[in-house]
Amino acid sequence: AKAAFSLSWGLDMPDAGAGRLASPEASPWLAAGCLLCVLGLSYQDTKEGDGKPNVLLNIPTGEEEGGRIATDKPTSPWKSRFWPDDSDYFYDVTQRSQKLIPFLSPHMGPESRPHTVVLHGAAGVGKTTLAKRCLLDWTEFRLGPLHCAFYLSCRELNHMAPCTFAELISKDCPELQEDVLEVLAQAESALFVVDGFDELRVPAGALTHDTCSDWKQQKPAPILLSSLLKRKMVAKATLLVTTRPGALRELLLLVEQPRLVEVEGFSESDREACFLRHFEDQDQARQALDAVRCNPVLLRLSSAPAVCQLLCTCLRLQMQRGEDPSLACQTTTSLFLRFLCSQFTPAPGGHPQCHLREPLEALCLLAAQGLWTQLSLFDREDLGRLGVEEADLQPFLDRCVLQRDRDCAGCFSFVHVSVQQFLAAMFYVLRCPGEDEWPGSGWDIRGVQELFSREARAGNPLLAQAGRFLWGLLSAARAWELETTFGCQTSSEAKQELLKRTSEQEQPVLWAVGLREVFHCLYESQEEELVSDATASLQEASLHLMTSRDLVHCSFCLRHCGDLQRLSLQVAKGVLPEEEAALESRHAQNPLPFWTDLCSVFSSSKSLVLLDISQSFLGSLSVRTLCDQMASATCCLQKVVLKDISPAGAYQNFCLAFRGHKTLTQLILQVSEQNDVLPSLCEVLSHPKCKLQCLRLGPCSAPTQQWAGLFLALQANHSLTCLDLSDSELQDGGAKLLCAGLRHPKCPVQRLSLENCHLTEACCSDLSATLIVGQRLTHLCLAKNDLGDGGVKTLCEGLRYPECRLQALVLWRCSITSEGCVHLSTVLSQESSLTHLDLGLNHIGVVGLRALCGALKAPPCGLQCLWLWGCSLTPFSCKDLSSALSSNRSLVTLDLGQNTLGFEGIKLLCEALRLQQCPLRTLRYRPLPAPAGLGQAPTITLDLGGSGLSHLGASWTCDRQGGSGCG
């Protein structure tokens, strides 16, 4: 490092003393040239036999051109970073990504140049390589007389003792500390590359609260780094920081106005070019790449060059043996295990390489320790603490599973973090049978239950993939592969612990991570018996298929959920082909076979009774497959909910599938406003074997003729007791046709909801006649229709008839005033079947409430529940209400929410509640929102549980969220 430093600062400068930097004035070359000072990591040892220092420097060798020193093109420092045959290719990829870094543009002046750039991306996609390339090219584009650059590896900072900032940036040249500070003081442009921020190990919040601005004060290295990022040190420097996405949020709390640049690694064309270079046969290369494309996890990981190389190596060996690459790529675990075992395959007819068993256990121990401590770089001290000898790791160093770190001497790292996760998962299955003591108890490795803990995963994102690898390794086939290669015995204790339940109703430990992740883990095992054991107690599942891989996982697992009773499904756009032409053009595997497997559960499972498909993009082929399964004679579904499904014609197919269904009793169809579903629905209702009891349809807009057909089908149906047409554009003409059907002697409808169906006063005469003739109707909802007082008057004519059997009437937001309340009070004050009345959001005022209270006092009144929510009631109304509560003998529920009753009004109501004969059990009150700045009014619910004041003290609850309101 010292020799390299001299090359940069002391070349041809005779007046520069040994160990001291020359000032710009001391040398014309120094004043005009672009200097690069890379401290800490960029200088590497001389290669054996090479004779030249392997330094990352531009050495001035040419003549002056335009006020700068012309330089040779820098030698490629990544020649040994990747596989030798690919060095030029990776150089091109890095050069392309480098165009995203704005401060390297020679045309961008200091005033417009961002002071902080953050390179973020997944592990292994080339953030470090790109940062080093930027550090090299810093000299090529700098036009100022003096600038310098520093490289700080967060991996290395974790191993440093407390030091000063000057010691930190000159740690490899401690004798030059004073000179470095002098250069920084004079430099017009300084670049600091902070590499691997996500690998910094500090307590939560330490970087945010602890800072230092004194260059000579000793502090922990991470604190000095945070001070640099927060510009307490070298405030005008340019910062280039690399991090993985998991630490990006914490980093953004430290830096000001950063320019974010995402490094994506290999693009699709890069990936294809890499495969074509590694396979002699281009057809085989494309076949292998297609197999990788079918597994989105592998496809995402292959954006990292190291993993892409791993995949090429493994699949090439598979295909040379005549094996199908798609089988190896079926799960991520299977491919990683094939890669590991292929490096140590015994000779044909040979025995397992048992001498590798202990080295493998040491390697897995190292991986597990790093997983839980979130470390990816290990030094000899780490090995010593784990009792691992460097010689144990040599077989894996030779096979590129483990590698010596190029930046930190004497340190090791796995070829990619996914390999570390895989080997950490293997740690849990290599536990010797009968071993009493947990092998991780002496270190920082936690038990298998914590591996599937939501809390642990929130703090350590690496645990998720390790958990999937673990389930993949629990299968008998993978255990056999390990045993035949390494002579290892695997333990089933991890599986038993994950499937353990304290009771039949309780879910296993595995379920703590959520159903989607559970199915992902179980799919990795590819073992049907294991899936059946894990899902034995699963009765309800809610699945959101966001990717094609979700479909693959769910189709495999649902077939083995023997006790599943309720299934909710949501399919995102693009998971299934919406057109047949789209299926032919897909790169990935055909999703329809997996969709067919998933739909088979509707006909094969006798316990599945509820299906809810909402907000889903299915496509014509997918709908046809689903309908075939639901129309099967073995389908036992009782309730089906279909909401917001495309294509629009899907609902017609569904209805045709439901014709004569022997078990279906409830059907909810939430369709778009323009949909031709009614003719198909008529066929369902008029079928002689129809068992449908409840139908919810809406919002629906259809011609009058189609409505007529539906209501005519009601006359032929003998099972439908509940009909809900809320939010449909029925209008008065449609209501007239409906009432004609309801008046038919054989019409079975008992509950009818016409909420927000665009009805007016004109339809009320037909409704009133229906109340008299259709004696089966017991519940009627007319909410959110503009009926007005005239409409209520007409309805009351039917309500007064002794033949009327209506028990519940909902007139919520129907433009009713005090006049309408007078008409209703005449019905309530005489013997009537009406027991529930909802007048919410109608401006009835004091006069309207007084009329209702008069009816409540009448002995024949049998009203049990009254809703007056938002009815413009005031404290003056409470006297009449209190008097009515004192006299009434039937009212058990009263809702007075969204009214302003005040303290005096509440006090009057409480006087009535003190009476033992008061039957009221529940009183709800939430006043109108308080004016701005006064807080939110409280919600009060009195659940008296019996009658009178004796229950008041124990049951009165006040949810006070600020403000006073009712005192």
Side-chain angles (χ1 to χ4, degrees):
K2 184 175 180 181
F5 194 90
S6 300
L7 281 174
S8 177
W9 289 95
L11 189 65
D12 296 329
M13 290 183 285
D15 52 343
R20 180 163 180 79
L21 301 179
S23 64
E25 294 79 5
S27 170
W29 179 87
L30 185 58
C34 295
L35 305 182
L36 173 64
C37 172
V38 187
L39 299 182
L41 176 49
S42 297
Y43 303 99
Q44 302 178 3
D45 295 334
T46 302
K47 288 187 177 179
E48 187 175 350
D50 193 355
K52 298 180 181 178
N54 184 18
V55 296
L56 309 183
L57 287 174
N58 285 340
I59 307 299
T61 59
E63 301 296 329
E64 282 197 32
E65 295 180 0
R68 326 180 43 235
I69 298 295
T71 63
D72 291 338
K73 181 178 180 179
T75 58
S76 178
W78 38 86
K79 282 282 185 182
S80 58
R81 180 72 177 173
F82 301 104
W83 283 259
D85 292 341
D86 292 324
S87 57
D88 292 336
Y89 178 68
F90 287 117
Y91 177 91
D92 295 336
V93 173
T94 308
Q95 191 175 36
R96 182 188 63 213
S97 302
Q98 188 185 14
K99 296 177 182 178
L100 299 172
I101 313 300
F103 63 71
L104 288 177
S105 171
H107 306 292
M108 182 174 287
E111 66 283 350
S112 58
R113 186 173 66 241
H115 289 289
T116 304
V117 176
V118 175
L119 302 180
H120 64 98
V125 295
K127 301 183 298 296
T128 296
T129 304
L130 181 56
K132 290 181 178 179
R133 174 71 193 277
C134 294
L135 184 144
L136 286 176
D137 290 347
W138 179 254
T139 57
E140 183 176 347
F141 296 135
R142 294 300 96 219
L143 302 178
L146 182 62
H147 61 274
C148 51
F150 300 84
Y151 180 96
L152 299 174
S153 170
C154 293
R155 278 183 172 185
E156 197 171 358
L157 296 186
N158 292 324
H159 300 274
M160 289 187 62
C163 61
T164 66
F165 185 73
E167 293 170 342
L168 175 68
I169 62 177
S170 60
K171 56 186 175 59
D172 288 339
C173 306
E175 69 276 13
L176 302 178
Q177 289 180 30
E178 296 299 328
D179 301 295
V180 171
L181 299 183
E182 182 181 341
V183 170
L184 274 176
Q186 299 181 28
E188 295 183 0
S189 184
L191 170 67
F192 283 86
V193 174
V194 178
D195 189 25
F197 176 80
D198 54 283
E199 300 192 65
L200 207 59
R201 297 293 160 254
V202 292
L207 298 181
T208 307
H209 300 100
D210 197 356
T211 59
C212 175
S213 58
D214 186 352
W215 289 38
K216 297 185 178 182
Q217 182 181 359
Q218 282 201 344
K219 285 281 187 178
I223 301 303
L224 296 176
L225 179 62
S226 70
S227 302
L228 174 66
L229 296 175
K230 297 171 76 171
R231 302 199 175 275
K232 301 297 182 181
M233 306 277 195
V234 200
K236 295 183 179 180
T238 298
L239 302 178
L240 176 61
V241 190
T242 72
T243 184
R244 294 179 194 170
L248 182 59
R249 183 176 181 180
E250 184 179 0
L251 174 60
L252 294 180
L253 297 175
L254 302 176
V255 297
E256 297 179 1
Q257 299 180 337
R259 180 76 57 87
L260 299 181
V261 178
E262 183 177 6
V263 182
E264 298 179 347
F266 273 4
S267 64
E268 183 62 28
S269 59
D270 299 330
R271 201 178 285 114
E272 183 174 359
C274 185
F275 270 76
L276 290 173
R277 280 195 312 279
H278 281 76
F279 284 82
E280 296 179 1
D281 188 330
Q282 291 193 359
D283 291 336
Q284 284 192 346
R286 292 190 172 92
Q287 183 184 358
L289 183 56
D290 287 342
V292 172
R293 288 190 179 114
C294 291
N295 188 331
V297 177
L298 286 178
L299 189 64
R300 173 176 52 81
L301 288 174
S302 66
S303 63
V307 178
C308 195
Q309 296 278 356
L310 182 152
L311 298 179
C312 291
T313 302
C314 182
L315 294 177
R316 185 179 59 202
L317 290 174
Q318 296 291 117
M319 299 181 74
Q320 287 174 354
R321 297 170 187 158
E323 299 179 15
D324 186 355
S326 62
L327 295 178
C329 295
Q330 189 174 27
T331 66
T332 311
T333 307
S334 62
L335 191 136
F336 273 67
L337 185 59
R338 294 282 177 89
F339 166 75
L340 180 66
C341 293
S342 66
Q343 305 301 308
F344 305 97
T345 304
H351 298 287
Q353 303 191 52
C354 298
H355 66 282
L356 292 174
R357 182 172 61 84
E358 290 187 4
L360 179 62
E361 291 176 352
L363 185 71
C364 294
L365 173 62
L366 187 68
Q369 174 73 4
L371 175 73
W372 284 105
T373 56
Q374 301 188 54
L375 287 176
S376 58
L377 185 70
F378 308 92
D379 58 20
R380 291 186 176 90
E381 292 184 5
D382 295 325
L383 301 184
R385 282 193 294 270
L386 297 174
V388 175
E389 298 291 338
E390 186 174 339
D392 295 337
L393 306 177
Q394 194 60 48
F396 303 99
L397 287 167
D398 295 339
R399 303 302 174 93
C400 296
V401 177
L402 197 67
Q403 61 185 1
R404 298 184 188 276
D405 193 80
R406 301 182 183 280
D407 298 329
C408 192
C411 293
F412 306 89
S413 64
F414 292 89
V415 67
H416 189 261
V417 66
S418 57
V419 176
Q420 180 177 345
Q421 292 169 311
F422 172 74
L423 292 167
M426 192 178 293
F427 170 82
Y428 291 93
V429 300
L430 292 182
R431 185 178 180 183
C432 297
E435 189 175 3
D436 296 330
E437 185 181 356
W438 163 239
S441 59
W443 304 295
D444 298 312
I445 305 171
R446 301 182 188 177
V448 68
Q449 291 194 20
E450 288 208 47
L451 190 61
F452 291 89
S453 162
R454 284 183 180 271
E455 293 77 10
R457 291 191 173 196
N460 188 350
L462 298 177
L463 298 180
Q465 184 58 49
R468 297 165 196 158
F469 279 134
L470 174 58
W471 275 97
L473 292 169
L474 290 177
S475 72
R478 311 280 164 68
W480 179 86
E481 195 167 356
L482 275 174
E483 185 174 349
T484 55
T485 305
F486 298 100
C488 297
Q489 284 187 312
T490 59
S491 170
S492 62
E493 291 189 21
K495 177 169 63 176
Q496 295 170 1
E497 192 169 354
L498 289 173
L499 296 180
K500 182 173 59 180
R501 295 195 300 266
T502 57
S503 65
E504 292 185 0
Q505 292 75 27
E506 188 181 65
Q507 298 288 9
V509 173
L510 169 66
W511 293 89
V513 293
L515 187 60
R516 183 170 181 257
E517 179 65 16
V518 167
F519 279 6
H520 192 163
C521 291
L522 294 178
Y523 178 82
E524 282 290 315
S525 73
Q526 288 295 295
E527 193 168 286
E528 296 183 357
E529 183 179 354
L530 189 59
V531 177
S532 298
D533 291 343
T535 60
S537 61
L538 182 65
Q539 296 183 346
E540 183 172 356
S542 180
L543 303 173
H544 186 184
L545 307 184
M546 295 184 287
T547 66
S548 59
R549 206 60 187 169
D550 290 338
L551 173 61
V552 174
H553 300 159
C554 293
S555 67
F556 177 77
C557 296
L558 280 178
R559 299 198 306 267
H560 308 292
C561 299
D563 199 30
L564 186 65
Q565 300 176 15
R566 297 174 294 278
L567 175 62
S568 299
L569 201 60
Q570 186 175 344
V571 184
K573 190 177 182 66
V575 174
L576 294 169
E578 297 182 49
E579 302 293 339
E580 294 187 31
L583 183 62
E584 299 175 359
S585 62
R586 291 176 68 97
H587 246 320
Q589 62 198 125
N590 184 357
L592 289 181
F594 300 103
W595 176 251
T596 302
D597 288 342
L598 188 149
C599 293
S600 66
V601 71
F602 306 139
S603 58
S604 62
S605 176
K606 302 296 182 183
S607 57
L608 186 62
V609 295
L610 184 149
L611 172 63
D612 183 341
I613 304 180
S614 304
Q615 299 176 346
S616 295
F617 298 84
L618 299 184
S620 56
L621 292 175
S622 310
V623 169
R624 195 180 310 155
T625 302
L626 176 58
C627 290
D628 289 344
Q629 295 295 333
M630 290 194 297
S632 170
T634 57
C635 179
C636 298
L637 288 172
Q638 298 177 14
K639 180 178 180 180
V640 175
V641 180
L642 304 170
K643 297 181 180 179
D644 300 326
I645 297 176
S646 68
Y651 291 93
Q652 301 176 41
N653 294 326
F654 289 135
C655 289
L656 295 176
F658 297 143
R659 285 182 304 179
H661 202 286
K662 63 178 182 179
T663 60
L664 187 66
T665 58
Q666 297 182 63
L667 178 61
I668 298 177
L669 301 177
Q670 183 170 308
V671 301
S672 58
E673 293 186 359
Q674 299 296 329
N675 199 295
D676 295 331
V677 70
L678 291 185
S680 302
L681 198 54
C682 291
E683 295 186 41
V684 176
L685 293 174
S686 57
H687 196 282
K689 294 184 179 180
C690 177
K691 297 292 191 295
L692 204 61
Q693 299 176 10
C694 182
L695 173 64
R696 161 79 168 93
L697 175 65
C700 183
S701 177
T704 304
Q705 184 179 0
Q706 291 190 7
W707 285 118
L710 177 67
F711 302 144
L712 187 62
L714 292 178
Q715 302 176 17
N717 184 277
H718 302 290
S719 60
L720 192 70
T721 59
C722 179
L723 178 61
D724 187 350
L725 300 176
S726 298
D727 300 317
S728 296
E729 291 190 24
L730 188 63
Q731 300 183 347
D732 294 334
K736 184 179 181 70
L737 297 171
L738 171 61
C739 290
L742 293 173
R743 289 196 292 266
H744 192 276
K746 295 184 178 180
C747 180
V749 176
Q750 300 174 11
R751 296 169 176 262
L752 176 64
S753 177
L754 301 177
E755 181 177 336
N756 193 29
C757 284
H758 306 273
L759 307 181
T760 67
E761 179 183 345
C763 72
C764 290
S765 57
D766 293 292
L767 289 170
S768 181
T770 303
L771 294 177
I772 300 172
V773 179
Q775 297 183 10
R776 290 187 177 88
L777 197 64
T778 59
H779 293 70
L780 177 61
C781 177
L782 299 173
K784 298 173 71 175
N785 290 293
D786 192 15
L787 305 182
D789 294 330
V792 172
K793 179 180 179 181
T794 306
L795 286 175
C796 288
E797 293 175 3
L799 290 171
R800 280 195 291 266
Y801 272 78
E803 294 80 5
C804 177
R805 295 291 182 265
L806 195 70
Q807 299 174 13
L809 178 61
V810 179
L811 298 174
W812 185 77
R813 212 172 81 179
C814 286
S815 305
I816 302 173
T817 66
S818 57
E819 182 182 346
C821 290
V822 172
H823 298 304
L824 288 169
S825 64
T826 59
V827 176
L828 296 174
S829 59
Q830 55 187 286
E831 290 188 2
S832 169
S833 60
L834 198 65
T835 58
H836 294 68
L837 178 61
D838 187 347
L839 294 174
L841 283 183
N842 288 294
H843 188 74
I844 65 174
V846 177
V847 177
L849 181 63
R850 183 173 295 134
L852 293 174
C853 289
L856 290 174
K857 292 179 182 179
C861 179
L863 195 67
Q864 298 177 13
C865 299
L866 178 60
W867 287 270
L868 299 175
W869 193 88
C871 286
S872 305
L873 305 183
T874 67
F876 301 103
S877 309
C878 292
K879 184 176 181 181
D880 295 317
L881 195 55
S882 177
S883 176
L885 293 176
S886 302
S887 306
N888 184 272
R889 296 295 177 267
S890 62
L891 195 67
V892 294
T893 299
L894 178 61
D895 191 333
L896 299 175
Q898 292 296 297
N899 291 289
T900 306
L901 303 182
F903 175 76
E904 293 299 329
I906 295 295
K907 185 177 180 181
L908 288 172
L909 293 178
C910 289
E911 291 178 1
L913 297 177
R914 290 191 182 96
L915 302 175
Q916 291 291 332
Q917 66 269 25
C918 178
L920 197 68
R921 289 173 174 265
T922 302
L923 173 63
R924 300 188 186 94
Y925 173 60
R926 181 189 183 94
L928 286 170
L934 296 183
Q936 188 174 354
T939 298
I940 297 175
T941 299
L942 273 71
D943 185 5
L944 302 182
S947 60
L949 189 62
S950 59
H951 301 277
L952 183 60
S955 302
W956 178 286
T957 60
C958 177
D959 180 15
R960 187 176 300 275
Q961 299 176 356
S964 51
C966 65

